[in-house]
Amino acid sequence: MANIFHRPHREELTPWERAERRKKRAEKHQVKEGGPDASHKTSPSVKKREKGSLEWLKAKAKTKRLLKLQSQHDTPTKKEPPVAQQPLQPIEQAPVKEAEEQLPITTTQKSPKEPHRLSRVRRRALVLVLCFAVAVVVTVISILPVSRISSVRVTGTDNATGQAVVQASQLRPHQSLITVYPRMFAGDRRIKREVNSVRRVTVRLVGRQVVLRVQEYPIVGYQRKGGQYYKVLASGAVGLTKIRRINGNYPIFYGFKPRELRAMAAQVNRLPVKVRQAISEIHAQPNRVDPQRVHLYMNSGNEVIARVDTFATKMKYYPAIAAKMKAKGVVDFEVGAYSYPFSDKNK
């Protein structure tokens, strides 16, 4: 059964076709009312739509343009609505869009560079906070008693030299531990200058105690001054501590000035241990002919005459010369190297 309520789809007509239909309906209506003689009674609206009029030509040209555009954009699967039914965009919208694009960026809008700017600000703030935190921690630690020196101890030397080293280092109890290494960096030279027997000083922290480990120059003998004995080191320096008992393996220096003692100590330090232990006393005996003349007394009873500048070189031959001697006598290294007994010396 056919649907009686179905209304067929209204045929879509172009404005030109509509004008043609209106013209035909007007002609039919005119024939019904007055016949062929009533053509002179045609209404003005019908006259305007007659074929060949200006309005008719404009409508036809517009229809052709619309049909051409519609044929270019139409697809076989989709049918566009008539041009007359498409909503027209107001002309005023284009200038408004251009004006909106030209508007300046307000404070509520974010520019593309704003995230990078925020990250830089955060990094700087973080650096400032870290620096402030470190400063606070260092200040608090420096105030607490835990960061103070409890005591200063010296190892590797005697008490008198140790006290001189502590005084030259300028390290005292209750000072901040932070100042230990900076003070010792500048105090190392000061210690060596004021305590000439010191060769090297190393610093070590044991808890809150500062330990100064002293390394002195090797001992080469003793010097007698005012009835007391003092150590003579390889650098020519004389120790600060009085020696109660001397070791017989080292010679005793007599009559040397500081400059001469420095040169003689360096020569003795170059000797082999066996030769150095055979020397009992070394006396400075300069004369007009030889201002560097020295006189040695050996533990074996022999005597040696030598010069300071060639002492270490020539004394290496003393054991061989002494072994060939038949009696106690003198070994002369002042000019060349020869020996003679004491009896010849008295003659």
Side-chain angles (χ1 to χ4, degrees):
M1 181 177 179
N3 189 0
I4 60 176
F5 299 100
H6 175 70
R7 296 179 63 182
H9 180 68
R10 185 176 179 182
E11 186 179 1
E12 295 180 358
L13 302 176
T14 62
W16 175 70
E17 292 175 346
R18 288 184 191 135
E20 290 291 335
R21 286 195 176 186
R22 290 193 195 98
K23 183 178 179 181
K24 289 180 180 179
R25 284 199 298 269
E27 290 178 354
K28 289 180 182 180
H29 184 68
Q30 183 180 2
V31 170
K32 287 180 180 179
E33 288 183 354
D37 297 332
S39 59
H40 61 280
K41 296 181 181 180
T42 306
S43 62
S45 60
V46 175
K47 288 182 179 180
K48 290 181 182 179
R49 295 184 180 90
E50 289 182 354
K51 189 174 182 180
S53 63
L54 182 61
E55 184 179 359
W56 183 83
L57 293 174
K58 287 182 179 181
K60 186 175 181 181
K62 184 177 180 181
T63 303
K64 288 182 178 180
R65 286 197 304 272
L66 292 174
L67 289 174
K68 186 177 181 180
L69 292 173
Q70 186 175 2
S71 63
Q72 291 177 358
H73 295 285
D74 282 350
T75 58
T77 58
K78 185 176 180 181
K79 189 174 182 181
E80 293 288 336
V83 178
Q85 296 181 5
Q86 293 181 357
L88 299 176
Q89 184 178 5
I91 300 176
E92 293 80 10
Q93 289 185 4
V96 172
K97 288 183 179 180
E98 293 179 359
E100 289 179 355
E101 292 176 358
Q102 296 177 0
L103 287 175
I105 299 173
T106 59
T107 55
T108 57
Q109 295 176 346
K110 292 184 178 181
S111 63
K113 295 183 180 180
E114 191 169 356
H116 300 285
R117 193 179 297 114
L118 290 175
S119 62
R120 281 201 305 271
V121 172
R122 288 171 184 168
R123 280 199 301 270
R124 291 176 183 174
L126 182 61
V127 170
L128 291 175
V129 169
L130 289 176
C131 294
F132 180 74
V134 170
V136 170
V137 171
V138 171
T139 304
V140 172
I141 290 176
S142 62
I143 294 173
L144 295 175
V146 181
S147 63
R148 301 287 177 176
I149 299 173
S150 61
S151 61
V152 181
R153 184 165 60 92
V154 181
T155 61
T157 185
D158 51 53
N159 293 332
T161 306
Q163 292 177 3
V165 169
V166 172
Q167 187 174 2
S169 67
Q170 297 183 355
L171 292 174
R172 303 290 183 273
H174 307 295
Q175 288 181 347
S176 177
L177 291 172
I178 302 174
T179 62
V180 171
Y181 289 102
R183 283 178 182 271
M184 285 305 301
F185 183 76
D188 190 16
R189 295 180 179 177
R190 185 167 54 252
I191 292 172
K192 292 179 181 178
R193 184 175 63 251
E194 296 183 9
V195 187
N196 53 10
S197 63
V198 175
R199 186 176 185 179
R200 185 181 302 170
V201 181
T202 57
V203 185
R204 190 162 53 96
L205 285 174
V206 181
R208 295 170 54 197
Q209 186 182 48
V210 180
V211 179
L212 302 177
R213 186 174 181 180
V214 176
Q215 182 180 358
E216 292 185 300
Y217 287 98
I219 182 173
V220 295
Y222 301 95
Q223 186 180 34
R224 185 172 181 178
K225 294 188 303 183
Q228 302 292 333
Y229 291 96
Y230 298 88
K231 290 187 296 185
V232 177
L233 305 177
S235 62
V238 180
L240 304 176
T241 309
K242 299 176 183 179
I243 305 299
R244 295 180 181 178
R245 291 185 61 183
I246 62 175
N247 189 347
N249 293 328
Y250 296 98
I252 302 173
F253 294 83
Y254 292 93
F256 284 92
K257 296 180 181 179
R259 186 173 181 180
E260 297 170 353
L261 182 62
R262 191 178 305 112
M264 191 63 195
Q267 292 287 330
V268 173
N269 188 44
R270 292 170 54 188
L271 291 176
V273 177
K274 186 177 179 179
V275 177
R276 186 181 61 194
Q277 291 178 353
I279 302 172
S280 176
E281 297 178 3
I282 303 176
H283 294 260
Q285 291 183 352
N287 52 30
R288 294 181 180 178
V289 178
D290 189 0
Q292 295 190 2
R293 186 174 184 271
V294 293
H295 191 169
L296 284 72
Y297 294 89
M298 311 301 291
N299 292 327
S300 61
N302 295 326
E303 297 180 11
V304 177
I305 298 174
R307 289 174 51 88
V308 174
D309 54 354
T310 60
F311 180 79
T313 304
K314 292 186 176 182
M315 277 298 292
K316 294 178 182 179
Y317 304 104
Y318 171 78
I321 296 175
K324 295 179 180 179
M325 294 176 63
K326 296 180 180 179
K328 305 297 181 184
V330 179
V331 180
D332 194 338
F333 290 122
E334 191 173 9
V335 179
Y338 61 95
S339 64
Y340 53 90
F342 288 123
S343 59
D344 295 345
K345 180 181 177 182
N346 295 331
K347 290 180 181 181

